[in-house]
Amino acid sequence: MLDIQGKWVLLTGASRGIGRQVVGALADGGCRLILHSRKREHTAALVADLRARGLTVHALEAELSDQQQVVALGEEALRISGGIDILYNNAAIQADWHEDKFATIVDEYRLSFQVNTIAPITLCNLILPSMIERGFGRVVNITSGIKDQPELMAYAASKAALDKYVYDMAPHLAGTGVTMNLLDPGWLRTDLGGPQAPNAVESVLPGAMVPVLLEDGSCGKWFSAQDYR
Ligand SMILES: NC(=O)c1ccc[n+]([C@@H]2O[C@H](COP(=O)([O-])OP(=O)(O)OC[C@H]3O[C@@H](n4cnc5c(N)ncnc54)[C@H](OP(=O)(O)O)[C@@H]3O)[C@@H](O)[C@H]2O)c1
């Protein structure tokens, strides 16, 4: 397993839910952390706890529906770290449930694709070249196993587009020391997943760390966190 002690991480959506769980595992591994949320105050208590443990932690805020803020987030993370080792694209929004299976809510598609697809792809495209230059990197993009639910199509389609990015970019990372994979967390009780989800948020670990810790060169693969419980 990879030793992540001292590795620089940018993780989006660190304030709650799955992101917060993954932060715990990265902190236990001794990473240096750049934690994103929409507002710094959303990660303030977490940052204080982690700093009290002696960890290096920075908090950045960005509204991922605003492309300028996405770019600024990536650039600031690179400036702070001098080079990101682990990019964990976790933040996303869920579309509303539409009983009308044939509804095309244009604004919802636009917002879902900006936050769930364009923002993580932008961060990948900003950070991957420096990873390749330095010969090391781990990128994890959180996807979803959602299927056969046209009532949530804006969300589902935005995740499928992110999957396509990972699958088509992965061959171009061969031999670089950089890997990029997808992580399906399973249906979990979070603000996004809702209270009716069958799994506790804690069940995302240890699976969510597998694509970070693997040293077998796995790239362009789909990992299901619930397989590792
Ligand atoms: N929960 C599930 O059942 C489930 C299933 C499959 C896939 N997923 C995926 O897992 C990931 C995490 O989901 P979760 O359930 O942990 O979600 P969550 O509890 O709702 O947390 C969402 C996180 O993303 C941030 N965020 C939300 N909207 C944002 C925006 N417009 N701009 C910037 N940041 C934003 C939030 O920051 P603030 O606190 O600042 O708002 C928060 O940290 C997502 O990619 C989701 O699609 C979840």
Side-chain angles (χ1 to χ4, degrees):
M1 273 198 328
L2 182 72
D3 179 7
I4 55 173
Q5 177 78 34
K7 298 285 189 208
W8 274 107
V9 177
L10 170 60
L11 184 141
T12 64
S15 51
R16 50 196 166 93
I18 292 163
R20 197 170 181 132
Q21 295 295 314
V22 177
V23 168
L26 293 163
D28 289 347
C31 289
R32 291 181 281 186
L33 299 162
I34 301 175
L35 303 183
H36 156 268
S37 64
R38 283 183 295 182
K39 293 281 167 208
R40 274 196 188 84
E41 54 261 38
H42 297 174
T43 53
L46 176 62
V47 168
D49 282 354
L50 295 168
R51 283 187 180 150
R53 288 170 53 185
L55 290 155
T56 301
V57 189
H58 298 259
L60 294 179
E61 60 180 35
E63 170 52 63
L64 298 182
S65 63
D66 179 338
Q67 181 64 5
Q68 283 189 337
Q69 293 189 39
V70 176
V71 173
L73 170 66
E75 289 177 346
E76 182 64 0
L78 284 170
R79 192 194 61 76
I80 289 169
S81 62
I84 295 291
D85 301 299
I86 300 168
L87 169 61
Y88 214 114
N89 274 313
N90 161 73
I93 51 165
Q94 174 69 279
D96 290 336
W97 179 274
H98 295 286
E99 285 301 337
D100 177 2
K101 293 180 174 49
F102 301 100
T104 306
I105 314 294
V106 173
D107 288 348
E108 199 169 77
Y109 274 84
R110 285 204 177 110
L111 186 61
S112 299
F113 272 78
Q114 173 58 44
V115 174
N116 300 352
T117 316
I118 297 171
I121 287 176
T122 299
L123 292 175
C124 288
N125 286 341
L126 270 171
I127 290 168
L128 277 168
S130 59
M131 286 179 165
I132 293 168
E133 204 176 297
R134 296 160 74 234
F136 178 84
R138 293 284 182 274
V139 179
V140 182
N141 290 320
I142 294 213
T143 185
S144 170
I146 191 169
K147 62 174 185 177
D148 303 335
Q149 284 194 290
E151 298 88 347
L152 293 172
M153 189 52 73
Y155 173 76
S158 72
K159 289 293 189 178
L162 183 61
D163 298 349
K164 178 69 174 161
Y165 172 83
V166 171
Y167 292 138
D168 286 9
M169 288 297 269
H172 298 276
L173 299 176
T176 64
V178 179
T179 68
M180 177 162 64
N181 291 291
L182 294 160
L183 188 279
D184 170 17
W187 189 14
L188 312 178
R189 290 187 292 279
T190 64
D191 293 338
L192 187 151
Q196 74 279 29
N199 302 299
V201 67
E202 292 80 6
S203 70
V204 79
L205 294 173
M209 288 299 289
V210 170
V212 173
L213 298 176
L214 273 182
E215 289 189 283
D216 66 356
S218 290
C219 189
K221 295 200 171 145
W222 175 294
F223 292 86
S224 296
Q226 300 300 315
D227 287 349
Y228 298 90
R229 292 177 68 184

